[in-house]
Amino acid sequence: MKHLSMSAAAIISAALLSGCQSDPQELLGYSANQLCSRHFISNEPIEFITKNVVPEALAALPDRPEIGVDTKLKTVSVSAQVDGTIMTRTSVFRAGLGCTLLFDMTPEQLHAQIKHVNLPVPTPSTPLEQAIRRDVSLDGFFAHNTSNYAHSDNTFAVAVMYQGKLVAEHYDEHHDGDTRMLSWSMAKTLTGLLTGILVQQGKLALDQDVVAGSHSMTIANLMHMSSGIKWSETADIHGYQDLAPMWYHTPDSVQYVTQLPNEYEPGSRFEYSTGTTQLLSDALKTASGGDLQSLLNLYHDGLFKPLGINNAIAEYDEAGNLRGGARMFLSVHDWLKIGQLFIEQGSWQGQQVVPRSWVVDVMMSPGVAKHYGGQLWLNDMGWLMPKLPKDTVSLRGHRGQYVVIIPSKQLVVARFGAYGSAVNKHIGLANRRVFQSVVDLIEQLEK
């Protein structure tokens, strides 16, 4: 076990991170899951993760945490004393499925879930075609990295695909193009693509009803973030939120969402909700065959394999629900392929992987809100940035994960990092910096 100490600055920044959400169970669960996934999937050193990814969560704990990493069993446990009692949360790595936070199960019981599951054998992904341009600089994306975590953009990796080829990339010392990077909410867009594949197979329909507990909505409502279910993605004025409790207080994310009350008529308004995407993930599981094997076959054979993505990982909760709203890991280069798939309107090297109509008319067109399509952000920055092309769309993940796609420029930009709390508190400004760097990049490419 390793003791971890935190500076006063980190403790102050922890308050910015958690606000009223200083629940030790959430902080320990978040930290254990992050440490496990990023260490065993992304191959980041534990020291790097504690200093550059989760320092605020660890600093917000009431006692100095202890981190235990079992490299043989591939588990990570984080412990701290809470009200005189030692509280421990453990996350378990399973090959091909990433890390799962334990609640009621032992590691042995969790592994037993996949006893008869045929997991794909990971192999290197198909390399991107390259046309590296030495005249293109990505320094602008790294300009706001500082030694102060809370006030730093903490950029880890940036890669650029232009006219179908990798033209520029830059990384810190712990990452490269083959590093599998956590998506956070960028996974929502992958879940949207998988939905389109099932529609193409005749197993789902946009107007199909979905029943979740006492709730009823359509696939279209779920795609457009308009389920009708009362949800708080971030803490409200009373400190209430649903996101952290769904992930870190319950083993079953889908059940958590189905037990929430109804708030509005489905389809009548936009409400960004990771819980809504969890319901969509559950619909995918049911439509693909109802078990883990059929779901694995869907995303590996239906989406990843045609793109030459051969070692991606999607994570699950303890109840066996795909965490399609947040937790998928693809290499930096493979994230560029996902972006290029949109530029090619669902086609890859002559094969129509996702229906063109689904990509263009459902995902890349306004749904209930003009700035959001089908599990995909549309150009909500254009009014601030006139030089940003109007057809810009983007995948975005918690604290600074982006894939920016501009079909008219045949451009895809992938950016990964870990915004500090002070940066994340002003996410609009942080977004603007990234998109301004994209605009500057276009000027370089078109010189």
Side-chain angles (χ1 to χ4, degrees):
M1 301 287 277
K2 179 175 66 175
H3 285 284
L4 191 74
S5 61
M6 291 290 161
S7 67
I11 293 172
I12 292 170
S13 64
L16 289 171
L17 164 74
S18 52
C20 297
Q21 310 306 304
S22 297
D23 184 310
Q25 182 155 302
E26 293 174 7
L27 296 167
L28 288 166
Y30 168 81
S31 300
N33 206 188
Q34 282 283 76
L35 284 159
C36 180
S37 299
R38 300 191 74 115
H39 183 59
F40 291 118
I41 301 174
S42 303
N43 294 318
E44 294 171 347
I46 292 294
E47 286 289 345
F48 173 84
I49 304 165
T50 58
K51 292 179 180 179
N52 297 284
V53 181
V54 297
E56 297 155 321
L58 294 169
L61 288 162
D63 184 44
R64 284 195 311 166
E66 290 190 353
I67 299 171
V69 181
D70 190 320
T71 55
K72 182 178 180 180
L73 297 177
K74 294 193 174 181
T75 64
V76 174
S77 296
V78 183
S79 304
Q81 184 168 280
V82 180
D83 297 329
T85 302
I86 298 297
M87 181 182 289
T88 301
R89 301 300 305 277
T90 299
S91 191
V92 178
F93 174 82
R94 295 178 292 178
L97 299 175
C99 289
T100 297
L101 188 66
L102 294 183
F103 288 85
D104 303 318
M105 290 184 176
T106 64
E108 292 75 19
Q109 289 171 325
L110 187 70
H111 281 289
Q113 281 185 342
I114 59 172
K115 183 177 180 180
H116 301 294
V117 175
N118 181 26
L119 294 167
V121 177
T123 59
S125 288
T126 303
L128 293 172
E129 187 175 353
Q130 297 191 19
I132 299 297
R133 287 185 47 172
R134 303 300 176 188
D135 60 321
V136 172
S137 171
L138 301 179
D139 290 348
F141 290 93
F142 293 81
H144 292 272
N145 279 9
T146 73
S147 59
N148 184 332
Y149 174 86
H151 293 272
S152 177
D153 281 6
N154 301 303
T155 304
F156 303 154
V158 178
V160 180
M161 198 167 186
Y162 181 57
Q163 297 178 343
K165 299 177 182 179
L166 178 70
V167 297
E169 57 186 337
H170 186 65
Y171 306 96
D172 69 3
E173 61 182 311
H174 298 291
H175 304 90
D176 58 37
D178 294 322
T179 304
R180 291 179 291 191
M181 303 298 288
L182 172 58
S183 65
W184 283 118
S185 285
M186 296 200 307
K188 293 177 171 68
T189 304
L190 300 184
T191 301
L193 289 168
L194 293 172
T195 306
I197 291 173
L198 288 174
V199 169
Q200 180 174 250
Q201 295 174 354
K203 296 177 180 179
L204 281 178
L206 201 57
D207 60 355
Q208 181 174 324
D209 289 329
V210 176
V211 176
S214 62
H215 305 287
S216 180
M217 71 286 291
T218 65
I219 293 294
N221 297 150
L222 296 175
M223 284 292 295
H224 294 145
M225 291 292 187
S226 188
S227 68
I229 297 175
K230 181 178 174 61
W231 175 269
S232 180
E233 184 79 8
T234 56
D236 62 19
I237 59 172
H238 305 293
Y240 175 82
Q241 66 158 314
D242 288 300
L243 188 59
M246 179 182 73
W247 290 142
Y248 308 119
H249 270 290
T250 173
D252 191 332
S253 57
V254 172
Q255 184 183 48
Y256 177 92
V257 181
T258 60
Q259 292 179 344
L260 294 173
N262 211 56
E263 186 176 35
Y264 59 94
E265 183 68 22
S268 64
R269 83 181 199 205
F270 172 81
E271 184 71 50
Y272 185 83
S273 165
T274 299
T276 291
T277 310
Q278 284 308 106
L279 294 183
L280 185 60
S281 298
D282 189 54
L284 297 186
K285 182 178 181 180
T286 300
S288 63
D291 58 21
L292 176 57
Q293 186 68 66
S294 57
L295 194 53
L296 278 165
N297 293 344
L298 170 65
Y299 59 77
H300 279 290
D301 296 340
L303 179 61
F304 294 150
K305 188 176 179 180
L307 274 61
I309 297 174
N310 301 326
N311 55 14
I313 285 181
E315 291 191 329
Y316 292 76
D317 65 19
E318 193 184 68
N321 298 305
L322 172 68
R323 296 181 71 180
R327 306 283 299 190
M328 296 191 187
F329 289 77
L330 280 68
S331 75
V332 177
H333 286 177
D334 286 343
W335 280 114
L336 291 176
K337 295 176 184 177
I338 296 296
Q340 188 66 25
L341 186 67
F342 281 94
I343 290 178
E344 301 296 335
Q345 300 181 345
S347 176
W348 186 262
Q349 296 182 350
Q351 178 182 352
Q352 198 69 43
V353 180
V354 186
R356 179 188 180 281
S357 60
W358 184 264
V359 171
V360 175
D361 300 329
V362 177
M363 297 193 72
M364 297 177 73
S365 296
V368 176
K370 65 179 182 180
H371 61 277
Y372 198 84
Q375 301 288 307
L376 181 71
W377 290 98
L378 307 184
N379 188 357
D380 61 336
M381 303 295 291
W383 67 281
L384 283 171
M385 308 177 67
K387 290 186 178 181
L388 188 67
K390 297 187 187 312
D391 62 338
T392 300
V393 299
S394 59
L395 293 68
R396 298 184 201 169
H398 178 60
R399 293 204 165 204
Q401 324 315 317
Y402 302 84
V403 173
V404 180
I405 307 157
I406 308 178
S408 63
K409 300 295 184 180
Q410 298 187 62
L411 177 67
V412 183
V413 181
R415 184 271 184 200
F416 296 90
Y419 287 154
S421 58
V423 176
N424 201 59
K425 189 176 180 181
H426 301 284
I427 191 65
L429 294 175
N431 286 342
R432 188 172 181 178
R433 279 205 294 271
V434 167
F435 285 93
Q436 183 58 56
S437 294
V438 171
V439 170
D440 296 341
L441 175 64
I442 292 172
E443 294 179 356
Q444 292 186 67
L445 291 168
E446 294 185 341
K447 281 194 302 186

